[in-house]
Amino acid sequence: MIEEAGSAMDTFMRHYEAQVTALMARDVMQVSHTQKKQDLLAILNGLHQHHQQTCPMYANIVKANQQQDAATCLEDLPFIAVRLFKQLDLISIDNTAVFKVLQSSGTTAQQPARVYLDQATSARQSKALVNILQHTLGKQRLPMLIIDSPAIVKDPKFSARAAGIQGLAFFGRDHCYALDDAMQLNWPALEAFCAKYADQPVLIFGFTFMVWAYFIQTLIKQNKRLALPKAMLLHSGGWKKLDDQRVDNASFKQAIKACLGASQVHNFYGMAEQVGTIFVECTHGHLHVPLLAEVIVRHPYTLAPCDVGEQGIVQVLSALPSSYPGFSLLTEDLGRITSIDGCPCGQRGKTLAIDGRLPRTELRGCSDTHVAGLL
Amino acid sequence: MKSGMNKDMNSAWDKIEILAPQGLQNFSAYLSAKPMPVHDPQVLDFLAALSQALLKEPAYKQHPELVALGFWLRPAHIQQLINQPHSSRRKALGLVVHFTPANVDTMFIYSWVCSLLMGNANIVRLASAESLVKDALMQCLHNILLQPKFRELANSNVFVSFAKESPMSAQLSLCADARVIWGGDVSVLAIKALPSKPRCRDLSFADRYSAALINGDALQTDAQAQAVAELLWRDTQAHAQQACSSPRVIYWLGSAAAQQGVFQHLNTLAKPSAERNQALNHVVVSQLTQSLGDATKPLIQEAICALPVAAVQPDMLDWHLGHGMFYLVAISSLDTLLPLLDEKCQTLSYWQVERDSLLKLVEQASITGLDRVVPLGRALEFSPVWDGIDMFSSLSRSLVCL
Ligand SMILES: [Zn+2]
């Protein structure tokens, strides 16, 4: 009996891996949105069944909502609120198969989200990251400047920030960390890096807030410039922390140009609960939904799907996670679909704009502490 | 030496921010304030003035909590409350220190009024969380307390704010003749752990939840469904359903036929004031609950959410975020309600359930919770007996004269 169940699982996994690989092999310039939706629906319906069989909590949730069956369109697939990962251990593999537990911290008062990865999911995430980023970065590994401190990746508590850096570090070589352990600019290292690669294409990566607050602001304050005109900057993490500093994408790019002479700047959107599924800004300034994923924007009051251009809550579907039931997540982010198969850069599919986060719930009443972990 | 110490102590009290009445005297003067007689005319005049202001001035009209408070404070009602027969003579305790919850609720004002009526001097510590209701209330109290005729009162009652982690809670605890402690279980226990005078009385109002009991068999018409929805709205609109007395659980007795109608009407009432994250919060709470395995699909999940569950579990009450989230439990008879009422359950508000059979039920000794049984729509009405505690007697001394 057990053997039979095991082999059914193996058959599913083989079929599923083949589907994902086939989707990754397709050309993002060619595949229309309609076509992509069909391919994705087959994969996601498979994952929907897989997680019902392997994650009892997921099975309970979809059963309660009468969503056990395969969906006929992406909009009808069940979604899980991403906040659940802070409260529950949502896991679809045996404990012995856990390869890595990703923790996203958020602010200090919050309970971190816990995302359980097995080797297969982790490998799939890395492959997807390569698949998506190659479109922007090309196949060559460039010398890489990381706007962070090396201490962050040495921390034994594997944070989402460390995971992000580690994932991206794969795309570069000869890594240089721009900050020291005290989060100060490491001038000797920076100067050596610039001297060596001044006229060459280099890759710079950092979290948006870190790049702005610890890198750009310090350069401006110290009235210094770095000459890296052929650099390409990738950054992620959102503008929320920069709200009070009134920084938007345009002024961010302007500051990069002024400080480094670089004009290739790409923001990307993604989250710890779906590593590998990233939405990279193209040369026309639009965040593109990759082939392996889909975005549905939902009306904040009714949760019904929004039309193109309408602002709502962002739901992200991804073909990647098999070790935890995170293939369809309702995020806390507000955004809009800006186009379908219509970006002048030539990539097909949907483009997306992220407008910020939903406000947190104000808690009042007799009790004051017990729900704090939920937010 | 001595003056140096005094100076240190004075500067320590400087960390306390006086919210109302401002500018009258140094904080330390309130520590030695004299109590007043029970039911002092000045206090009654003051409460009438406060009621008048809250009900008449346009600035407070936008806060339903304050209008309700103004209504509760009107002289006829206060007279009704204090005319209850007392078996003995009463005197003030002395200084009562009130600790209010981190996120302000007007509930603590009611316990302050009870203490005031018994003649006590009061120091009320408000949390630093920003709140329009709190600001409006403090402004109102400040304006009235500054009137010369209330000077004695203004010198013995003060509303303050200081950081939770500051040593002020400990200092004030040492001065208190009674502590009124509102808050979550953790905060209440933290205050109770602070040393106090040997005879200090603690009145603790910790985490509770409340439920409504609706007789589905009596619900025949759409007009009735609308009426039930309006009563539920009255009990849950204020404080975004986060007051202990607002029902979070609905025990539905008998026919479920009218459920959809009631919750649709309630949703319509809640829609205009719904927040942008409200539906998402409902999804979060529903899915957390559904993950446990005995919930079904929500009857509705928009501005409000009605989630049918087999039974209420402690986690579900912790997850609850207010804003119109209802756990719906079907029961077939009143007897089946008995094992469902636990010690954390404070108020049961009922609709079309025979009062006598209900009272017979809740008087059973096996029910450890349940301190209030009220008609639906009156869950938030404060009474001087709260959480099973008689505030008037608890905040005063009984004098025996043979
Ligand atoms: Zn594009």
Side-chain angles (χ1 to χ4, degrees):
Chain A
M1 262 323 262
I2 291 167
E3 221 167 276
E4 239 171 71
S7 76
M9 171 82 85
D10 290 347
T11 313
F12 162 76
M13 287 305 290
R14 269 198 304 276
H15 179 57
Y16 160 65
E17 294 290 5
Q19 284 176 309
V20 173
T21 310
L23 191 53
M24 273 196 232
R26 305 192 71 163
D27 182 355
V28 67
M29 310 298 276
Q30 301 294 334
V31 182
S32 77
H33 184 242
T34 320
Q35 243 176 326
K36 176 270 237 353
K37 277 201 293 191
Q38 275 172 12
D39 291 0
L40 204 55
L41 182 63
I43 299 177
L44 298 182
N45 268 326
L47 285 174
H48 175 42
Q49 296 308 321
H50 166 71
H51 290 295
Q52 286 188 65
Q53 279 154 23
T54 51
C55 176
M57 286 181 183
Y58 179 77
N60 284 339
I61 293 169
V62 298
K63 187 176 171 224
N65 292 308
Q66 296 158 23
Q67 292 173 306
Q68 298 106 306
D69 297 340
T72 51
C73 63
L74 294 175
E75 282 78 7
D76 287 351
L77 274 166
F79 49 74
I80 296 289
V82 74
R83 218 186 295 163
L84 260 61
F85 286 86
K86 292 183 198 284
Q87 294 292 316
L88 306 174
D89 283 313
L90 289 162
I91 178 166
S92 306
I93 47 171
D94 198 75
N95 279 331
T96 55
V98 174
F99 167 65
K100 211 190 272 180
V101 183
L102 272 185
Q103 305 221 344
S104 84
S105 56
T107 58
T108 43
Q110 294 174 351
Q111 214 168 326
R114 301 173 297 280
V115 181
Y116 294 88
L117 304 178
D118 61 359
Q119 240 157 347
T121 300
S122 181
R124 213 176 295 126
Q125 291 175 338
S126 306
K127 255 190 252 168
L129 206 57
V130 172
N131 187 264
I132 296 165
L133 276 175
Q134 264 181 2
H135 188 85
T136 311
L137 300 179
K139 291 201 170 160
Q140 210 187 348
R141 286 193 182 188
L142 301 174
M144 184 169 180
L145 181 63
I146 297 167
I147 313 299
D148 216 311
S149 118
I152 185 87
V153 273
K154 287 181 210 138
D155 192 335
K157 264 184 74 185
F158 205 69
S159 69
R161 193 161 128 213
I165 291 170
Q166 212 175 56
L168 265 297
F170 178 80
F171 294 88
R173 60 180 169 88
D174 201 5
H175 304 100
C176 167
Y177 285 85
L179 306 179
D180 59 22
D181 290 354
M183 305 301 284
Q184 302 291 318
L185 283 190
N186 185 345
W187 276 109
L190 272 172
E191 276 162 4
F193 185 87
C194 292
K196 201 165 166 192
Y197 299 115
D199 300 319
Q200 298 177 41
V202 298
L203 173 61
I204 306 176
F205 170 71
F207 288 94
T208 311
F209 174 75
M210 304 291 299
V211 173
W212 182 259
Y214 292 90
F215 188 54
I216 298 299
Q217 288 303 311
T218 314
L219 288 177
I220 291 173
K221 247 178 245 155
Q222 301 184 358
N223 203 16
K224 292 203 177 163
R225 270 154 208 244
L226 297 174
L228 293 167
K230 291 186 181 169
M232 176 188 288
L233 171 68
L234 268 181
H235 67 103
S236 182
W239 304 97
K240 179 78 187 172
K241 277 188 184 167
L242 297 171
D243 258 6
D244 51 341
Q245 303 186 30
R246 299 186 173 275
V247 188
D248 60 9
N249 204 1
S251 51
F252 186 87
K253 283 181 174 169
Q254 231 166 26
I256 298 290
K257 176 88 187 160
C259 290
L260 309 178
S263 48
Q264 296 181 76
V265 179
H266 298 272
N267 182 18
F268 70 88
Y269 170 70
M271 63 187 112
E273 291 81 359
Q274 273 181 352
V275 170
T277 308
I278 61 168
F279 305 72
V280 186
E281 182 185 1
C282 71
T283 46
H284 290 263
H286 296 125
L287 297 173
H288 278 267
V289 180
L291 279 173
L292 297 153
E294 178 63 321
V295 162
I296 297 167
V297 172
R298 292 188 178 272
H299 195 282
Y301 296 100
T302 63
L303 302 176
C306 290
D307 292 332
V308 172
E310 232 184 311
Q311 192 190 61
I313 305 174
V314 173
Q315 176 196 352
V316 182
L317 301 111
S318 163
L320 298 179
S322 63
S323 61
Y324 64 97
F327 67 93
S328 171
L329 296 177
L330 190 61
T331 71
E332 315 255 309
D333 294 319
L334 285 171
R336 285 162 292 132
I337 300 299
T338 47
S339 71
I340 301 178
D341 284 345
C343 189
C345 77
Q347 284 189 71
R348 306 193 71 178
K350 283 182 179 171
T351 59
L352 168 76
I354 298 294
D355 298 325
R357 281 177 79 81
L358 275 170
R360 300 166 93 202
T361 304
E362 177 99 18
L363 283 173
R364 303 187 299 180
C366 307
S367 56
D368 52 0
T369 50
H370 69 295
V371 244
L374 258 182
L375 298 173
Chain B
M1 261 320 250
K2 204 170 177 191
S3 67
M5 257 175 72
N6 276 338
K7 205 178 154 204
D8 281 356
M9 204 51 228
N10 279 335
S11 65
W13 293 123
D14 283 351
K15 297 208 176 68
I16 290 183
E17 184 195 353
I18 295 183
L19 302 173
Q22 290 178 354
L24 281 186
Q25 57 185 15
N26 283 335
F27 176 78
S28 51
Y30 290 101
L31 296 168
S32 50
K34 297 278 170 295
M36 297 167 78
V38 168
H39 304 163
D40 191 90
Q42 190 184 137
V43 170
L44 298 177
D45 280 356
F46 166 79
L47 294 179
L50 183 57
S51 169
Q52 177 100 354
L54 291 173
L55 291 175
K56 297 273 161 65
E57 287 176 30
Y60 311 117
K61 287 249 160 72
Q62 55 174 312
H63 304 295
E65 298 95 329
L66 296 184
V67 175
L69 175 63
F71 193 70
W72 193 84
L73 287 171
R74 68 203 195 284
H77 185 240
I78 294 292
Q79 274 305 329
Q80 202 183 318
L81 293 179
I82 63 178
N83 281 346
Q84 312 279 341
H86 287 295
S87 53
S88 55
R89 291 158 190 276
R90 299 206 165 272
K91 291 185 77 176
L93 284 179
L95 177 64
V96 178
V97 178
H98 304 249
F99 297 92
T100 76
N103 290 293
V104 83
D105 172 5
T106 43
M107 233 35 153
F108 66 88
I109 283 290
Y110 293 93
S111 49
W112 169 66
V113 169
C114 290
S115 179
L116 192 61
L117 281 165
M118 300 322 284
N120 296 296
N122 295 284
I123 295 171
V124 185
R125 186 257 170 185
L126 274 73
S128 37
E130 301 218 350
S131 151
L132 290 175
V133 179
K134 181 182 83 175
D135 293 347
L137 187 57
M138 287 305 119
Q139 187 61 52
C140 184
L141 287 167
H142 171 78
N143 292 346
I144 300 173
L145 284 170
L146 239 53
Q147 295 176 24
K149 58 179 171 177
F150 299 129
R151 191 55 193 256
E152 202 183 341
L153 244 169
N155 283 341
S156 59
N157 285 275
V158 67
F159 293 82
V160 298
S161 170
F162 52 82
K164 204 172 181 176
E165 57 279 3
S166 87
M168 292 303 117
S169 294
Q171 301 283 358
L172 288 177
S173 281
L174 289 172
C175 305
D177 295 301
R179 296 184 292 190
V180 176
I181 314 167
W182 294 91
D185 289 353
V186 176
S187 323
V188 169
L189 288 175
I191 298 287
K192 279 170 69 116
L194 297 172
S196 59
K197 290 182 184 175
R199 298 182 61 229
C200 173
R201 296 182 188 177
D202 281 347
L203 277 59
S204 310
F205 302 97
D207 277 352
R208 303 294 293 274
Y209 76 95
S210 293
L213 170 62
I214 291 170
N215 183 358
D217 292 330
L219 247 167
Q220 305 289 343
T221 65
D222 186 58
Q224 281 178 311
Q226 172 79 40
V228 169
E230 276 166 18
L231 293 170
L232 275 171
W233 180 236
R234 193 184 297 172
D235 282 349
T236 52
Q237 176 198 18
H239 319 297
Q241 200 198 9
Q242 288 164 359
C244 296
S245 332
S246 283
R248 302 173 192 203
V249 181
I250 295 179
Y251 294 110
W252 193 283
L253 182 65
S255 166
Q259 281 178 357
Q260 198 57 252
V262 167
F263 292 116
Q264 287 294 348
H265 284 306
L266 186 56
N267 191 55
T268 307
L269 290 167
K271 244 184 205 169
S273 55
E275 289 173 15
R276 273 205 301 182
N277 58 1
Q278 204 155 316
L280 178 63
N281 281 339
H282 292 331
V283 171
V284 170
V285 178
S286 290
Q287 291 190 338
L288 284 169
T289 302
Q290 289 166 335
S291 78
L292 300 172
D294 55 7
T296 60
K297 193 178 174 175
L299 295 182
I300 185 166
Q301 189 163 261
E302 274 187 31
I304 66 142
C305 179
L307 181 68
V309 295
V312 175
Q313 300 177 38
D315 272 346
M316 292 160 55
L317 297 168
D318 282 349
W319 291 331
H320 195 275
L321 293 167
H323 292 275
M325 178 76 211
F326 297 93
Y327 299 120
L328 183 60
V329 184
I331 55 170
S332 53
S333 70
L334 272 188
D335 293 333
T336 50
L337 184 60
L338 200 62
L340 300 174
L341 299 170
D342 60 358
E343 103 184 85
K344 288 242 166 192
C345 186
Q346 182 208 52
T347 300
L348 184 70
S349 39
Y350 59 92
W351 187 82
Q352 289 286 311
V353 179
E354 204 214 327
R355 189 167 173 271
D356 288 345
S357 43
L358 192 56
L359 291 185
K360 206 181 266 173
L361 185 84
V362 301
E363 276 166 2
Q364 297 189 36
S366 59
I367 295 190
T368 49
L370 218 56
D371 295 319
R372 299 171 69 227
V373 177
V374 302
L376 192 66
R378 297 177 59 183
L380 293 176
E381 273 179 30
F382 185 84
S383 89
V385 179
W386 195 254
D387 269 15
I389 297 169
D390 183 334
M391 298 239 185
F392 288 148
S393 61
S394 300
L395 292 172
S396 64
R397 292 183 290 134
S398 295
L399 200 59
V400 179
C401 304
L402 296 178

